[in-house]
Amino acid sequence: MREGLEKLLAKGQDSAVLRFGLGQACLKEEDYAAAALHLAQAVKQNPQYSAAWKLLGKAQLESGAADARTQAQASWQQGLQVAEQHGDTQTVKEITVFLKRMHKAAGGAA
């Protein structure tokens, strides 16, 4: 799946939906840095793409970067705001759970 999507991108068929699909494929392969790159492009192209914000936070958190937790939290906060504005209740629920888990894992610290 990833290879086919990368071919489309190479042909110049860039879009938020394509980047979301690539990010999702990279996440499945545990290529978190590439996933974060594609998902960041997805939300850059469409800042109202709440599902992309959700996966971007996940990729950032798993990336192992020094500021991964801060990046993920910022992405999830943005995604939560977008999802609430658009009535995307499922994404609101999922991001809320992610943020609560992050808060709990940090020993209750924000």
Side-chain angles (χ1 to χ4, degrees), residues 44-87:
K44 183 177 181 184
Q45 292 175 9
N46 181 0
Q48 302 304 308
Y49 203 159
S50 59
W53 283 111
K54 176 184 74 175
L55 289 187
L56 176 58
K58 187 174 184 178
Q60 290 168 326
L61 188 62
E62 296 293 336
S63 74
D67 60 347
R69 190 175 180 281
T70 302
Q71 289 179 349
Q73 185 172 7
S75 293
W76 285 335
Q77 291 290 352
Q78 183 65 36
L80 186 61
Q81 182 180 0
V82 169
E84 287 172 341
Q85 289 171 353
H86 291 94

Side-chain angles (χ1 to χ4, degrees), residues 21-34:
L22 267 167
Q24 200 169 32
C26 291
L27 272 175
K28 286 181 183 176
E29 294 177 5
E30 298 181 0
D31 186 352
Y32 302 117

